Amino acid sequence: MIPHNTEICVLRDAPTLTQAAAEQVVQHAASAVNSRGKFTVALAGGSSEKSLYTLLASTKFCSRLEWGRIEFYWGDERHVAPDHDESNYRMAYEAMLRPLKIPDVQIHRMEGELPSPQEAASRYESLLRNQLGNSKSPIPQLDLVILGMGLDGHTASLFPGTEAVHETTKLVVAPWVEKFQAFRITMSPGLINNARQVIFLVSGMEKACVVKAVLEGSFQPDELPSQVINPISGQLTWLIDQKAANALSSRKLRYIE
C-alpha cells in the first residue's frame, strides 16, 4: 500500500532522475533556510547518490545553494575507516564536500572506524540530539533524508531480518548484517520517519520487481525494510527511472519528462 503522503515520480532515465533529485535538494534547502536559517540533510551511499552529489557540486548547481547554511549528516555507514574505499562518508566527501570546500564544522559523519560499532551508533545518537534536539520533540528532525534501495529491499542499513527494522527507541543502531558478515551503523526508522522530507532514488531494470513489491505488494517489512519508511508528518518522494518503474501498475504515478 502506498502511504497517503507519498509522491511517486517516474523519470525518463538515470540522468533525468539525477537532475530531478538535484532540483528537489535545491527546493528543500531554500525552504529550510528561509524558514529556519539552515538546512539539515542526511546523505546516503550508492551510485545514484554519487551522481547527485557530483551534479550538486558542478557549476550548473553549486551557485544555487547556500552551502554555508547546510549541515551534512549520514543515514548509514559501514564499519570502516573514513578513508576506506567502501566508506559512504568518503564517497560523498570526494564527490561533493571536498570540491566545494565545505568546512569540517558542517560535516557530521558517523565514526565507522571505532572498534565498537555500538559505540559509534551511541555517539552519533548523542551528536544528533545535541545538534538537532529541542524541547518540543524527543526525536530530532532533519529537513531531508536521502535514501537508496537495494535489490533485497533494504534502505540505509535496514536489512531484511534485522531487528533494526523495528527499532522504536534508539535513533541510531548498529545491526549485524549476516549476508556481509559485518556490522553497519544506521539511522533507525523512527528518526528517518520524523524528517520533513524523505527522498528515495531508484534506477535500473534490475530493481523493477522489488520496486513493485515495496510499493504495491503486501506489508512485509522484515522482507522489504524500505516499506517501514513512512514519514509521520513529512513528505515521502520516490524518484524512479522508467526501467525501475517498469512493473508498477499504480495510477498514482507522476511521469516527468
Side-chain angles (χ1 to χ4, degrees), residues 17 44 60-61 99 112 115 166 169 171 176 179 201 217 219 247 252:
L17 184 154
K60 184 176 181 178
F61 273 89
H166 300 285
T169 303
L171 303 182
W176 172 259
K179 67 184 290 186
L201 309 181
F219 187 66
K252 296 182 179 181

Side-chain angles (χ1 to χ4, degrees), residues 79-238:
H79 188 208
V80 297
D83 60 353
H84 194 281
D85 287 345
E86 295 183 356
S87 168
N88 288 340
Y89 159 79
R90 176 179 174 177
M91 183 274 281
Y93 183 76
E94 292 182 347
M96 177 173 63
L97 304 179
R98 184 172 63 189
L100 292 169
K101 297 181 172 60
I102 302 298
D104 290 345
V105 70
Q106 293 171 233
I107 301 172
H108 311 287
R109 69 175 182 85
M110 293 176 166
E111 299 175 282
E113 72 275 20
L114 293 180
S116 168
Q118 291 77 23
E119 175 65 17
S122 178
R123 287 194 190 187
Y124 208 64
E125 176 162 337
S126 295
L127 182 150
L128 287 164
R129 291 191 184 280
N130 290 335
Q131 293 286 331
L132 303 175
N134 62 66
S135 59
K136 297 180 181 180
S137 173
I139 303 177
Q141 188 170 46
L142 290 148
D143 290 313
L144 173 63
V145 177
I146 298 170
L147 297 173
M149 185 178 68
L151 292 172
D152 58 359
H154 85 269
T155 190
S157 281
L158 303 172
F159 282 86
T162 61
E163 294 182 3
V165 174
H166 300 285
E167 180 59 53
T168 58
T169 303
K170 296 179 179 178
L171 303 182
V172 186
V173 292
W176 172 259
V177 183
E178 187 66 26
K179 67 184 290 186
F180 298 125
Q181 291 290 293
F183 284 101
R184 294 288 184 95
I185 306 156
T186 185
M187 289 184 174
S188 68
L191 177 58
I192 295 172
N193 285 332
N194 200 45
R196 293 182 174 89
Q197 305 284 338
V198 179
I199 298 176
F200 272 94
L201 309 181
V202 187
S203 65
M205 184 68 75
E206 69 277 6
K207 292 185 179 178
C209 289
V210 70
V211 166
K212 181 175 179 61
V214 168
L215 291 176
E216 298 181 346
S218 59
F219 187 66
Q220 303 177 78
D222 286 310
E223 296 182 19
L224 299 166
S226 290
Q227 290 183 327
V228 303
I229 305 304
N230 182 10
I232 299 168
S233 58
Q235 176 72 28
L236 175 60
T237 302
W238 286 76

Side-chain angles (χ1 to χ4, degrees), residues 6 25 28 32 40 51 68 81 91 97 104 137 142 147 174 190 239 244 248:
T6 301
V25 172
H28 296 318
T40 57
S51 296
M91 183 274 281
L97 304 179
D104 290 345
S137 173
L142 290 148
L147 297 173
L239 298 180
L248 291 176

